[in-house]
Amino acid sequence: MKISIIGVGLIGGSIALKLKQKKTADFIYGIDNNTENLDEALALNIINEKVDLKTGIENSDLVIIAIPVDSARKILPEVLDLISDQQTVMDVGSTKSGIVNAVKNHPKRSRFVAFHPMWGTENHGPKSAIAESFSGKAGVICNREESAEDALELVENVVKNLDMHLIYMNAEDHDIHTAYISHISHITSYALANTVLEKEKEEDTIFQLASSGFSSTVRLAKSHPEMWVPIFKQNKENVLDVLNEHISQLRKFKSALEKDNFEYLEELISNANKIRGILDK
Amino acid sequence: MKISIIGVGLIGGSIALKLKQKKTADFIYGIDNNTENLDEALALNIINEKVDLKTGIENSDLVIIAIPVDSARKILPEVLDLISDQQTVMDVGSTKSGIVNAVKNHPKRSRFVAFHPMWGTENHGPKSAIAESFSGKAGVICNREESAEDALELVENVVKNLDMHLIYMNAEDHDIHTAYISHISHITSYALANTVLEKEKEEDTIFQLASSGFSSTVRLAKSHPEMWVPIFKQNKENVLDVLNEHISQLRKFKSALEKDNFEYLEELISNANKIRGILDK
């Protein structure tokens, strides 16, 4: 199978590496506005050839859109305009309602499969791509009933070859769940980094004292705004809803401390401990 | 050197393993109210013998107190009552002002060295102990001028054998810095777990969708209240101060989203990104 990847960054690059390894892809065309990324992806053997959008699409069985969610939503209708009924398009964005609604009435809607791999890191660019990234993680396909059967089958096969386990969901539910499980973690981490940067003016002390716990909690705060601002924008209502809940949960800790109510503090912590049972199933 | 370890859990056990490996310790006495922990530590070859407090102290050159900070503060004067001028006592607690003040006027104060290794995990008990835990991390000694020179030297040697890099600080500064860099991360993580548990009633969805990002941010929420309630209690003022800042940082994200001010959102995220430069020095 010949594949075009629009956006040869962390996610697009990791998919390319894995699908080449699995021989799911015979040939990969790289398409990117960032020519530095393209050259790097070529040098790293992530793509076979760098091309423009039209050439890539003309020659591919599958087109994978792996750019920030606002650009993805914008480019998808243009891509669908260019493809035939034998070609398939998928995306990898962290929000799904926006993109699905953008092509709801497009005559080629059924050639598109809305996909979201539940994996990412705080890094970016093709040099951060790792073939094994997706192994064992969840791959979510949204609104499958809106995709043609053969397009769906092709993407399911790709997801299996990424060694992910498939989950089906409608786009709206997906966006609610990812607000809880992914998007709020990023806001928390950004806010924590800003807190420490605001309060702790001695950078050397941060560096010297930073424990593995701090590094782990603040890791996501390294994630770039180019990717995350569009996600928060597209999932605004859900993110605000969870953010309000998060602030009110933090206020409970504040109140327990202020009132020296250490029994309540213990209760809050014991409740949080339940996440162990769920994550370590 | 013969060492008594009071509290053979994650930290005490990890220190024991490493100091045996380095041959800094010839013999380790284990002291613990939890007999299950003691038996486990003995079976895992972490300690050589389980003893009562008095026997352990009588026979040791060094006594390491590795129990929650409230119990540590309580037991330290009793331990100092029992030792001679040839013996040394150290602790490993995450808050330092409380314990240092508790023995300020004790006639044996100079035999005590206040220590804090900047390492921990969300796990507990001797089975979680790992010899290499401390390698490359910071080990903080507080108020060194209040310790006798030979006691200080002995502990410095222990810290070097744990492969940690030494930092000296006064207890009050330590408690401010750890509030920023360690304690607030735990509250954030607990609150995030409670947020998700409150909003996401479908446990299976959490489990299936949980990405590495979420797991990493919420990891500390598995940490036990027995250890953390006393830390928050002893460092209450500093923790409240940082917690208030953290809530106000989160409110900035909320306000940016509510007002569709995506430039401000980008600014907040770009500022948070600076943590990369500091952590990855």
Side-chain angles (χ1 to χ4, degrees):
Chain A
M1 174 162 68
K2 290 187 182 3
I3 301 179
S4 273
I5 297 190
I6 305 177
V8 290
L10 170 72
I11 303 293
S14 296
I15 292 177
L17 284 175
K18 182 75 179 180
L19 294 184
K20 275 183 146 186
Q21 201 185 79
K22 286 273 188 137
K23 303 199 191 305
T24 315
D26 310 312
F27 199 93
I28 294 188
Y29 296 100
I31 299 159
D32 205 309
N33 285 336
N34 183 332
T35 53
E36 213 174 290
N37 269 6
L38 270 185
D39 290 334
E40 213 171 88
L42 200 60
L44 290 166
N45 222 1
I46 290 173
I47 58 172
N48 299 93
E49 196 180 327
K50 45 180 185 170
V51 289
D52 61 64
L53 184 70
K54 207 164 160 282
T55 313
I57 292 176
E58 259 170 21
N59 291 290
S60 299
D61 307 293
L62 171 66
V63 179
I64 303 178
I65 302 176
I67 50 180
V69 292
D70 52 345
S71 315
R73 184 160 70 169
K74 215 177 128 224
I75 210 171
L76 177 60
E78 298 170 30
V79 173
L80 289 181
D81 286 344
L82 291 170
I83 62 160
S84 75
D85 278 338
Q86 276 68 52
Q87 293 174 292
T88 299
V89 183
M90 67 190 280
D91 80 321
V92 299
S94 287
T95 53
K96 297 261 77 87
S97 300
I99 199 158
V100 155
N101 289 335
V103 292
K104 209 175 178 58
N105 300 314
H106 194 286
K108 289 273 168 54
R109 167 62 184 95
S110 71
R111 304 310 308 162
F112 169 61
V113 180
F115 176 61
H116 178 209
M118 297 300 294
W119 178 83
T121 76
E122 68 280 17
N123 301 316
H124 66 117
K127 63 183 175 307
S128 309
I130 312 161
E132 288 317 313
S133 307
F134 307 101
S135 302
K137 304 291 190 308
V140 188
I141 288 179
C142 289
N143 298 17
R144 65 169 153 179
E145 66 287 354
E146 295 172 15
S147 302
E149 249 179 67
D150 66 307
L152 191 62
E153 256 173 49
L154 188 149
V155 173
E156 287 169 340
N157 187 48
V158 163
V159 178
K160 277 169 200 160
N161 278 303
L162 293 173
D163 291 335
M164 307 192 90
H165 56 93
L166 259 169
I167 298 178
Y168 301 95
M169 217 174 257
N170 75 54
E172 277 166 33
D173 285 346
H174 168 277
D175 288 359
I176 294 173
H177 291 308
T178 50
Y180 301 148
I181 282 162
S182 162
H183 304 170
I184 188 69
S185 298
H186 282 80
I187 291 190
T188 299
S189 203
Y190 288 132
L192 183 63
N194 285 343
T195 301
V196 172
L197 291 166
E198 179 65 32
K199 299 292 286 184
E200 177 66 272
K201 295 298 181 191
E202 299 165 41
E203 292 196 359
D204 274 347
T205 315
I206 302 179
F207 173 66
Q208 287 191 311
L209 290 183
S211 60
S212 45
F214 178 69
S215 305
S216 144
T217 319
V218 94
R219 179 171 71 79
L220 299 179
K222 303 173 184 174
S223 308
H224 274 214
E226 294 77 22
M227 174 170 172
W228 282 94
V229 170
I231 290 174
F232 297 140
K233 196 172 171 177
Q234 285 200 17
N235 207 14
K236 176 183 154 179
E237 295 308 327
N238 291 323
V239 169
L240 269 176
D241 187 34
V242 188
L243 182 53
N244 281 326
E245 176 66 31
H246 186 48
I247 292 173
S248 95
Q249 290 291 344
L250 281 168
R251 280 215 198 91
K252 291 181 187 177
F253 281 87
K254 182 178 149 149
S255 153
L257 272 173
E258 280 174 343
K259 294 177 183 153
D260 289 326
N261 189 345
F262 298 110
E263 269 177 45
Y264 182 39
L265 190 60
E266 187 175 339
E267 206 179 285
L268 292 171
I269 293 178
S270 296
N271 189 64
N273 285 170
K274 288 181 197 154
I275 202 77
R276 181 188 285 267
I278 296 171
L279 286 183
D280 302 350
K281 260 185 193 174
Chain B
M1 174 161 68
K2 289 186 181 11
I3 300 179
S4 273
I5 297 188
I6 306 176
V8 291
L10 171 72
I11 303 292
S14 296
I15 291 177
L17 284 174
K18 183 74 178 180
L19 295 183
K20 276 182 145 187
Q21 201 185 80
K22 286 275 190 138
K23 302 198 191 303
T24 315
D26 309 314
F27 198 94
I28 294 187
Y29 295 101
I31 299 159
D32 205 308
N33 284 336
N34 183 330
T35 53
E36 213 175 289
N37 270 6
L38 270 185
D39 291 334
E40 213 172 88
L42 199 62
L44 290 166
N45 222 2
I46 289 173
I47 58 171
N48 300 93
E49 197 180 327
K50 47 180 183 170
V51 289
D52 60 62
L53 185 69
K54 207 162 159 288
T55 312
I57 292 176
E58 259 170 20
N59 292 290
S60 297
D61 306 294
L62 172 66
V63 179
I64 303 177
I65 302 176
I67 51 180
V69 292
D70 52 345
S71 315
R73 184 160 72 168
K74 218 178 127 223
I75 210 172
L76 177 59
E78 298 171 29
V79 172
L80 289 180
D81 286 343
L82 291 170
I83 62 158
S84 75
D85 277 339
Q86 275 68 52
Q87 293 173 291
T88 300
V89 184
M90 67 189 281
D91 80 321
V92 299
S94 286
T95 54
K96 297 262 77 86
S97 300
I99 198 158
V100 156
N101 289 335
V103 293
K104 209 175 179 55
N105 299 313
H106 194 287
K108 290 272 169 54
R109 166 62 182 94
S110 71
R111 304 311 307 162
F112 170 61
V113 179
F115 175 63
H116 178 210
M118 298 299 297
W119 178 81
T121 75
E122 68 281 17
N123 301 317
H124 66 117
K127 64 182 175 307
S128 310
I130 313 162
E132 289 316 312
S133 307
F134 306 101
S135 302
K137 304 291 191 305
V140 187
I141 288 180
C142 289
N143 297 20
R144 66 168 154 179
E145 66 287 355
E146 295 171 14
S147 302
E149 249 178 67
D150 66 307
L152 191 62
E153 257 173 48
L154 187 150
V155 173
E156 286 170 341
N157 186 48
V158 164
V159 178
K160 277 170 201 162
N161 278 302
L162 292 174
D163 291 335
M164 306 192 92
H165 57 93
L166 260 168
I167 298 179
Y168 302 96
M169 219 174 254
N170 75 54
E172 277 167 31
D173 284 347
H174 168 277
D175 288 0
I176 294 174
H177 291 308
T178 49
Y180 301 148
I181 283 161
S182 162
H183 304 171
I184 189 69
S185 298
H186 282 80
I187 291 190
T188 299
S189 202
Y190 288 133
L192 182 64
N194 285 343
T195 302
V196 172
L197 291 166
E198 179 63 33
K199 299 292 286 184
E200 178 65 273
K201 296 297 181 195
E202 298 164 40
E203 293 196 359
D204 274 348
T205 315
I206 302 181
F207 173 65
Q208 287 191 311
L209 289 184
S211 60
S212 44
F214 178 70
S215 304
S216 145
T217 318
V218 93
R219 179 172 70 80
L220 300 179
K222 303 174 185 175
S223 308
H224 275 213
E226 293 77 18
M227 173 171 172
W228 281 95
V229 169
I231 291 174
F232 296 140
K233 195 172 173 177
Q234 286 200 17
N235 207 15
K236 175 183 153 178
E237 296 307 328
N238 291 322
V239 169
L240 269 176
D241 187 34
V242 188
L243 183 51
N244 281 326
E245 177 66 32
H246 185 48
I247 291 173
S248 95
Q249 290 292 344
L250 281 168
R251 280 214 199 92
K252 291 181 187 176
F253 280 88
K254 181 177 147 146
S255 153
L257 273 172
E258 280 174 344
K259 293 176 184 155
D260 290 327
N261 189 344
F262 299 110
E263 270 176 45
Y264 183 39
L265 189 61
E266 188 174 340
E267 206 178 286
L268 291 171
I269 294 179
S270 295
N271 189 65
N273 285 171
K274 288 182 196 154
I275 203 77
R276 181 188 285 266
I278 296 172
L279 287 183
D280 303 349
K281 261 183 193 175

